[in-house]
Amino acid sequence: MQNQAVPRKTMLAIVGAGLLAFCGVLVETSMNVTFPTLMKQFNLSMSVVQWLSTGYLLLVSLTMATSAYIQRRYKIRSIFIFAGLSFIVGSFVCGLAPNFMTLLIGRLIQAVATGYAIPLLFAIILQQIPVARLGLFMGIGGMVVGVAPSIGPTYGGMNTYLFSWREIFWFILPVVVIAVLLGSFTITQKIKTRRDTFDLFGLILLGISFFLIAEGFTEAGNFGWLSSQFWGFLIAGLVVMALFVYHSFHSDRDLLDLSIFKSPTFVLSIMAYFLIQLMNIGISYLLPNYSQLVFGANSLAAGAAILLGSLVSGIVQPISGRLLDSHGAGYPIRIGSTLIVIAMLLFAIFGLHLTILLIVFFYLIFGLGFGFSFGNVMTNGIKQVDDSLQQDANAAFNTSQQYAGSIGTAIMAAILTSSQHSDSHLSQAVLSARGGHHDFILLAVLAMTAFVLILINFQKQAKNAKA
């Protein structure tokens, strides 16, 4: 098994699925850098425009929550073609959108496509790649979904500066078409499908919970963190989430097998993964907007500031996957989480005195840390459950990844918005810098929390190995 070569057809299937997933995640964050432009064009506030990102990520999360069931019910090739065609339709709706609501509808259509494309990429890897090479290929998958959010602002900024935000959707269409054609001819079915009964009520509960929690953080930006609006939405969301968990454990219908959460090491892995992705999407949203609002940088320069760190992260992820294969998960994940803590502390310390060059340097450190840790945390976490639960573990990781992005965007936007409304005597640049600094402090706290969770997790794994 260790020397088993990966068939060329499997490699091409991974490329096709990877390209579609990459396009979905790329467009996901490329719109962030366009928010100041869209605010002026449609005469809307930041809290409204940011729903292009938050709403998109919410629906991606819900779609991913159904992916384990969908993969058991339908052939993955059929799911892939559906996702690809949906993405193409969504691109046309967005590119031709005459108003904000039409643009949001197009983004939601694309969200469904991305929500199925990303789990399919990892499903192909988990089902068809030998265990001895799993770390490398999961690293490649992690590179696709982890680096695209950071490249997105550069891509979006370039198009907005040189053309318009509509070109974000038009220029990516040929790549999507190539991905659909490639996957259609190479994706094969390795697992038999079965007809289970879908848990629609459970999905509704999960959707309501996700929306209420995300809306709570959005309301915090408008009314403050001590407001009844924030706490009302947050508490209601947590209550509905508890109802979802209770229902799932007492239902014979199929959505997501929550028995995966009975493994403490899996829970610690997915919690760390959630926080790492929250930081990744959060800072990918924050830095381009910070550069425009505080420095007055154009969209191209704002997006380009995080390009170097993104490229380094992409290069490192497959390398770190090889380290997992050869030395175990602890080595690369500890390195990565340490670098993330250092980067976020630097952002927090220099938050009121940042320059473009400092952003480039600090984000480069973050990119290195993200590259070493992100994909490997997922690979290590999936290994903590039985093989029969891999589809559910994959769905849970991908759902948490996207919901973390939704929450990360909402929190960063809420803190930035509340700061902009805090003092009418100061300029928006000063208030935005202050709000950005508060965001950086929160990100530093989250980085240290993820680091502690990772250390505890490996202590537990070491004890389990000795038992």
Side-chain angles (χ1 to χ4, degrees), residues 451-462:
F451 181 77
V452 171
L453 291 174
I454 286 167
L455 292 181
I456 294 172
N457 188 19
F458 283 117
Q459 288 179 353
K460 286 187 173 293
Q461 287 183 218

Side-chain angles (χ1 to χ4, degrees), residues 18 43 63-64 70 125 145 147-148 153 170 177 255 298 305 311 366 408 416 427 466:
N43 193 27
T63 305
M64 286 181 171
I70 294 296
I125 293 171
V145 300
V147 176
W170 296 129
V177 172
L255 179 61
N298 59 52
L311 294 175
F366 173 79
L416 205 57
S427 68
K466 291 178 181 179

Side-chain angles (χ1 to χ4, degrees), residues 75-99:
K75 293 181 178 180
I76 58 176
R77 179 177 172 273
S78 301
I79 304 169
F80 177 82
I81 294 173
F82 170 79
L85 294 178
S86 297
F87 195 93
I88 292 171
V89 171
S91 295
F92 274 95
V93 173
C94 290
L96 299 172
N99 52 51

Side-chain angles (χ1 to χ4, degrees), residues 265-280:
T265 51
F266 175 84
V267 172
L268 289 167
S269 294
I270 202 168
M271 288 173 65
Y273 188 79
F274 181 91
L275 292 177
I276 291 171
Q277 179 67 349
L278 188 154
M279 290 183 280
N280 179 44

